[in-house]
Amino acid sequence: MLVGDGLTLINWEKRKNPTKEEITKFANDRNLNQVVSELLLERDITDPLKIQTFLHSDATELQDPFGLHDMDKALDLIDQAVESDAKIAIYGDYDADGVTSTSIMKLTLQKLGNKPIFYIPDRFKDGYGPNLDRYKFLADQGIDLLITVDNGVSGKEQIKYMKDRGIKVIVTDHHDLPEELPEADAIVHPSIPGSEYVCPYLSGAGVAFKIADALLGEEAMDLIDLAAIGTVADSVALKGENRVIVTEGLKQMKKNHHVGLSALLKKCKVKLSDINEEDIGFKIAPRINALGRLENASSGVELLTTGDESFAKEIVDETEDINTRRQGLVQSAFDDAQSQVSAQKDHGVLVLKGNDWHQGVLGIVASRVMDQENKPVLATQFDENSGVMKGSGRSPEGFNLFTALNKYNDLFTAFGGHAQACGFSIEETQLDKLTELLQSEPAEQGFDPQAPVVKDYDLDLNIADLNMDLIKQINQLAPFGMGNPKPVIKLKNVSLAQSKAIGKDGSHLKAMVTDSSRQVAAIGFGMFAKEQATDTDICDVYGEIGVNEWAGRKNLQLMLDDFQVSPEAQKIAGLKKVYLDYRNKRLSTSIMDHFDNIVFFNEVYYEAAKRSNVKAKLIRYDEECDGKNILIYDRPHNIDLFKNFIKENKTQHTALFFHTDLTARYLKPDMIKMKTLLKYLYSHQNITENGMDLVAQYLNLQKTDVDFYLKVFFELNFVKIVNGFVEKADASQQRELAESPTYLKRLQRNEVEKILIESNFDDLLSWMSDYDCHC
């Protein structure tokens, strides 16, 4: 565990931990690879039909739009309005979901031959959702039908006004239902009690697309790319039909159908052939959202519905300028907030005031501080127009912000939201009172902001496992998002090397994640200071694998979520101060003379060394070792001897040589070859012991292998020598290979070689840490 961004502690846990046997069986039974199988098991996607629809979402899985509540009523009203050339108004919202919902509805009606008007509320003048003054304005325009998108289900009073004016109203929404629904002519919503839709987590754009589907049929697929943007932007669960909408929407974007969207993608430098849901979430949606945060988002609808390329370019350029300004305002306010965060370090709920913070970025500032501190955060700013403090709040999982604030509802002039986010207005004189009252709420809810945040990772891998094929396997589960997070990989006991600060403020980390033989480039946003404060470069690293394309070249890149100095890594770091890896070095007399003691496990090497001119003291492994710097020259035949040695080895520095310059390696017994040889001996006569070299040649076996196997056969009484000939023995009982002393000794030597010779140095030290006296 290590400090993450700010003061937040993170505990990483495996999402689920199926055994290798379970994964292999699952993969074989369903003809899948191991990685995909493990990820599906972790997500409890095991039913064959569900696996098929999850991995291969396509347009055939779009659901019947008439499964949505009041869809038939809505279509009748729209058909009547279109046929009578009635005046239709669309009332949307100022975020990306609202903008795309409005755009879908506008384009749908235009395809039917109607020319609707639309209204996007102004965040600062109108607020969120139905606004009575704006409704009155639309009514005065002489409209016959009002269609709300991505809002309206909470507008009981406003909709009653429209009805009293004789105006038909269709509500299309996906937000939480109020206790009492408005008396609209139709309410198209996926969660109406008794009429719950098969995909209850549609976005506002998703609901609008379903209306387009009901009205236009196949032609509605031209609009599914806009629905995909709203779906990703609104962070709804990417399950069921939402996966289809995003998958098919990304395909539609590649067709370059919408002039305005194409211009926006070009400005974002998104490569159409490689576009994915991350491009929507991190490039497209933030720019659309920026319009509603700083200006009026109506230009976003104009952009997504225009067919004029020059007009689209003008809007895109303006959008880019606004988004750049939004980024600057967020960073400035976030930096400005840090002194208040420090001053409130003992508070369970942070209440921040900004004299010149822009209201449109309060939610982002609150969210960033929440991520930094793992505490509920209210970001506020004095609004000169209304004379009150306007604020946005965000809270971590485990703390219900709505419940906490709703206790003090009488302090607010306006308040609304849900468990993790809220918006409010409050008299400045009441804000200090609210701040004081809120400090008891974390304890009331059993929320400890100092407790580690629990996060899930998905795959335990080595750097050698990271390749382009792995990315293809992981991407079979795309699109990723809420309800289907992108898999997080854990790389255990690796190093962060070549680290350097990048970014305008130098807060981001660029590094190489390395082990003894491989490396992969990595980027960690906001992690440079943490890396500099880490007292060892050996860590457990968590992140998502991806591709960085630069100058036409594609390279693997790990996006870091966290890195932690694990207890095992700390042990390895400590042992690296004691042990030196000499296994691949050439030893000369001058090098050996630098050691106080040279330790031997085998008598033959010990005697040979005594005849040399080495100045160092030569000792056997079971003799007292009094030197500060020692060299272990050779390796034992039994790993337990080495375990016992390092349990007592208190020397300051120990070089591990293990006599690894041997040209021959230990034989690994091969059961198939042993059976082949034994079968041959049983079926042939007149084979002499001296003629085994011909047998080895005929069976294409190494003579040393044959000699070893033959000795095992003798010890187990499988064969015998009679008058110099090898014959089948009259074995009266079943024998196990391990009963052969020769075979057992070879297994022990193989264990020694596997651990002491074949392991990379970190793995060797990890094994040693269970026995070494320095740990």
Side-chain angles (χ1 to χ4, degrees):
M1 181 167 55
L2 186 76
V3 176
D5 290 342
L7 304 176
T8 305
L9 299 173
I10 302 174
N11 270 353
W12 288 93
E13 297 179 354
K14 190 84 159 57
R15 191 179 302 278
K16 280 194 174 179
N17 205 12
T19 64
K20 290 184 178 179
E21 291 76 15
E22 289 172 333
I23 296 170
T24 299
K25 185 177 187 307
F26 187 91
N28 292 338
D29 290 348
R30 293 158 179 81
N31 195 28
L32 297 168
N33 64 57
Q34 297 277 320
V35 170
V36 171
S37 296
E38 182 171 358
L39 295 174
L40 290 173
L41 283 168
E42 289 186 336
R43 285 155 172 75
D44 293 321
I45 303 171
T46 56
D47 178 77
L49 181 59
K50 289 183 178 179
I51 292 173
Q52 176 67 23
T53 56
F54 189 85
L55 296 181
H56 307 287
S57 299
D58 60 36
T60 62
E61 294 163 35
L62 289 172
Q63 303 298 310
D64 182 1
F66 287 93
L68 278 161
H69 181 266
D70 279 357
M71 180 63 82
D72 53 346
K73 293 181 181 179
L75 259 63
D76 287 342
L77 289 166
I78 292 173
D79 284 340
Q80 292 171 19
V82 171
E83 289 175 7
S84 63
D85 198 25
K87 191 169 186 178
I88 303 175
I90 306 165
Y91 191 96
D93 189 23
Y94 46 67
D95 66 1
D97 191 20
V99 168
T100 51
S101 302
T102 306
S103 300
I104 291 168
M105 192 63 67
K106 181 186 177 193
L107 290 170
T108 298
L109 294 173
Q110 286 177 349
K111 286 176 181 286
L112 294 173
N114 190 271
K115 295 181 179 179
I117 63 172
F118 71 90
Y119 186 81
I120 298 294
D122 187 291
R123 177 191 294 265
F124 313 107
K125 298 176 182 177
D126 305 326
Y128 168 75
N131 180 287
L132 186 56
D133 289 338
R134 298 286 78 81
Y135 272 35
K136 289 178 180 179
F137 170 78
L138 291 173
D140 291 341
Q141 303 299 304
I143 67 171
D144 302 295
L145 172 63
L146 174 69
I147 303 176
T148 71
V149 291
D150 194 33
N151 77 97
V153 76
S154 61
K156 186 174 187 300
E157 177 188 353
Q158 296 89 340
I159 289 171
K160 182 179 184 305
Y161 170 82
M162 300 300 271
K163 293 295 296 175
D164 290 344
R165 291 279 298 262
I167 298 170
K168 301 290 186 181
V169 179
I170 299 173
V171 170
T172 78
D173 201 353
H174 73 117
H175 290 98
D176 292 346
L177 298 171
E179 293 183 6
E180 190 174 352
L181 293 174
E183 295 179 2
D185 295 278
I187 301 177
V188 184
H189 192 291
S191 301
I192 300 292
S195 300
E196 291 88 349
Y197 185 58
V198 65
C199 182
Y201 19 78
L202 286 174
S203 65
V207 175
F209 172 74
K210 297 308 294 182
I211 293 177
D213 188 15
L215 287 166
L216 304 175
E218 288 288 332
E219 198 176 352
M221 294 302 290
D222 292 343
L223 307 174
I224 199 168
D225 48 359
L226 304 184
I229 294 173
T231 299
V232 173
D234 217 48
S235 298
V236 293
L238 289 187
K239 299 179 180 179
E241 193 170 23
N242 282 347
R243 285 181 63 78
V244 183
I245 289 173
V246 176
T247 300
E248 291 297 317
L250 289 168
K251 293 178 185 176
Q252 183 67 19
M253 285 183 201
K254 294 178 182 180
K255 296 178 182 179
N256 212 18
H257 179 72
H258 293 290
V259 170
L261 180 55
S262 297
L264 183 59
L265 290 170
K266 185 177 181 180
K267 177 63 74 172
C268 296
K269 297 181 180 179
V270 172
K271 194 174 181 180
L272 280 179
S273 60
D274 297 329
I275 191 169
N276 59 33
E277 68 280 6
E278 291 185 350
D279 292 319
I280 295 175
F282 294 105
K283 295 180 180 179
I284 301 171
R287 285 168 167 80
I288 297 174
N289 278 326
L291 297 173
R293 292 188 180 280
L294 303 190
E295 305 287 346
N296 187 285
S298 296
S299 60
V301 178
E302 298 287 2
L303 173 66
L304 297 179
T305 59
T306 186
D308 186 327
E309 291 187 9
S310 60
F311 181 49
K313 185 179 183 304
E314 287 179 18
I315 299 176
V316 165
D317 289 343
E318 177 188 355
T319 301
E320 190 69 15
D321 290 341
I322 292 172
N323 187 54
T324 301
R325 185 154 57 95
R326 186 269 306 172
Q327 292 172 331
L329 291 170
V330 169
Q331 189 62 51
S332 176
F334 177 74
D335 292 342
D336 188 40
Q338 294 307 305
S339 60
Q340 297 182 57
V341 171
S342 298
Q344 298 181 42
K345 63 181 180 180
D346 296 327
H347 288 194
V349 179
L350 306 180
V351 181
L352 311 174
K353 300 178 186 179
N355 293 329
D356 55 358
W357 296 352
H358 196 287
Q359 287 182 37
V361 303
L362 293 179
I364 302 177
V365 173
S367 181
R368 286 187 60 178
V369 175
M370 178 204 72
D371 289 339
Q372 173 182 281
E373 302 297 322
N374 192 39
K375 293 179 180 181
V377 180
L378 305 182
T380 68
Q381 189 263 343
F382 182 75
D383 179 35
E384 293 183 355
N385 293 327
S386 62
V388 298
M389 301 293 290
K390 295 289 185 70
S392 288
R394 299 291 186 271
S395 68
E397 290 289 336
F399 184 86
N400 191 313
L401 187 60
F402 182 85
T403 298
L405 294 179
N406 200 40
K407 284 185 180 181
Y408 314 107
N409 204 313
D410 58 321
L411 297 178
F412 299 105
T413 58
F415 166 67
H418 54 81
Q420 260 62 63
C422 69
F424 59 89
S425 299
I426 189 171
E427 297 286 347
E428 189 170 12
T429 55
Q430 299 286 2
L431 188 59
D432 289 341
K433 182 177 181 180
L434 175 67
T435 302
E436 184 177 349
L437 291 169
L438 286 175
Q439 301 315 313
S440 62
E441 289 301 318
E444 287 283 334
Q445 295 190 25
F447 175 77
D448 181 5
Q450 303 303 323
V453 174
V454 177
K455 291 189 177 183
D456 294 325
Y457 75 93
D458 301 86
L459 298 169
D460 285 292
L461 298 177
N462 299 311
I463 297 178
D465 299 320
L466 307 184
N467 51 48
M468 295 297 181
D469 187 57
L470 174 67
I471 294 176
K472 291 179 181 178
Q473 293 175 32
I474 289 174
N475 284 342
Q476 288 185 50
L477 278 76
F480 300 112
M482 291 291 293
N484 181 40
K486 191 170 185 180
V488 175
I489 293 167
K490 177 182 179 181
L491 301 174
K492 189 177 180 181
N493 296 334
V494 293
S495 298
L496 291 173
Q498 303 175 37
S499 61
K500 64 179 181 179
I502 60 173
K504 291 181 180 179
D505 60 354
S507 64
H508 308 312
L509 171 68
K510 183 176 183 180
M512 300 300 294
V513 178
T514 72
D515 60 19
S516 60
S517 59
R518 303 289 182 98
Q519 64 181 22
V520 62
I523 298 291
F525 291 110
M527 293 187 179
F528 181 72
K530 181 167 68 173
E531 190 275 337
Q532 291 293 292
T534 304
D535 58 3
T536 176
D537 64 347
I538 303 177
C539 300
D540 293 342
V541 167
Y542 302 86
E544 296 95 27
I545 190 65
V547 176
N548 176 40
E549 186 170 354
W550 179 255
R553 297 180 61 184
K554 293 184 176 181
N555 297 297
L556 293 176
Q557 180 172 272
L558 193 68
M559 299 304 298
L560 298 178
D561 292 313
D562 191 21
F563 52 87
Q564 301 184 349
V565 182
S566 66
E568 184 175 359
Q570 288 177 317
K571 287 183 180 180
I572 292 174
L575 288 179
K576 280 190 172 181
K577 297 177 181 178
V578 176
Y579 290 95
L580 305 173
D581 191 0
Y582 270 46
R583 290 177 299 172
N584 292 310
K585 291 183 179 293
R586 290 185 175 274
L587 279 188
S588 63
T589 302
S590 60
I591 291 177
M592 295 172 69
D593 285 343
H594 282 91
F595 295 95
D596 300 322
N597 295 160
I598 299 179
V599 180
F600 296 87
F601 283 91
N602 295 278
E603 192 69 22
V604 62
Y605 294 130
Y606 174 70
E607 293 297 332
K610 285 171 62 178
R611 295 192 294 271
S612 68
N613 296 321
V614 177
K615 297 178 182 178
K617 181 179 178 181
L618 309 180
I619 62 173
R620 297 178 179 87
Y621 72 93
D622 54 356
E623 296 177 337
E624 184 176 352
C625 184
D626 55 5
K628 292 183 178 180
N629 303 295
I630 70 170
L631 169 75
I632 298 180
Y633 184 83
D634 59 348
R635 49 190 154 165
H637 295 317
N638 188 318
I639 198 67
D640 287 334
L641 295 179
F642 186 69
K643 289 180 186 177
N644 293 331
F645 179 82
I646 61 176
K647 285 178 182 178
E648 303 297 330
N649 175 38
K650 296 182 174 62
T651 54
Q652 290 183 5
H653 300 290
T654 300
L656 305 175
F657 178 56
F658 294 145
H659 207 289
T660 50
D661 60 346
L662 294 177
T663 56
R665 306 296 291 272
Y666 290 145
L667 165 70
K668 291 179 171 57
D670 187 316
M671 295 297 296
I672 294 177
K673 291 180 180 179
M674 292 182 75
K675 289 180 180 179
T676 298
L677 176 61
L678 188 62
K679 183 178 180 180
Y680 185 87
L681 295 176
Y682 281 1
S683 59
H684 291 75
Q685 299 178 353
N686 301 323
I687 299 176
T688 65
E689 188 174 8
N690 294 331
M692 294 306 294
D693 54 340
L694 296 176
V695 173
Q697 185 177 355
Y698 179 77
L699 296 178
N700 197 28
L701 298 176
Q702 295 292 326
K703 177 60 166 56
T704 53
D705 290 4
V706 170
D707 293 341
F708 168 71
Y709 296 149
L710 192 61
K711 188 173 183 180
V712 173
F713 296 159
F714 288 151
E715 291 176 351
L716 295 177
N717 200 30
F718 290 166
V719 297
K720 60 184 179 180
I721 302 294
V722 179
N723 298 324
F725 292 94
V726 180
E727 296 183 3
K728 180 178 180 179
D730 300 323
S732 59
Q733 61 180 350
Q734 188 77 18
R735 302 292 298 274
E736 298 292 335
L737 286 174
E739 296 180 57
S740 162
T742 297
Y743 185 83
L744 188 60
K745 185 176 181 180
R746 182 56 52 84
L747 288 183
Q748 292 173 342
R749 291 188 176 188
N750 286 339
E751 184 183 20
V752 169
E753 180 156 312
K754 181 178 180 180
I755 293 173
L756 301 187
I757 307 302
E758 295 179 356
S759 298
N760 65 49
F761 196 46
D762 283 351
D763 288 342
L764 173 58
L765 294 180
S766 177
W767 176 86
M768 290 172 59
S769 68
D770 290 334
Y771 312 101
D772 192 87
C773 63
H774 297 90
C775 294

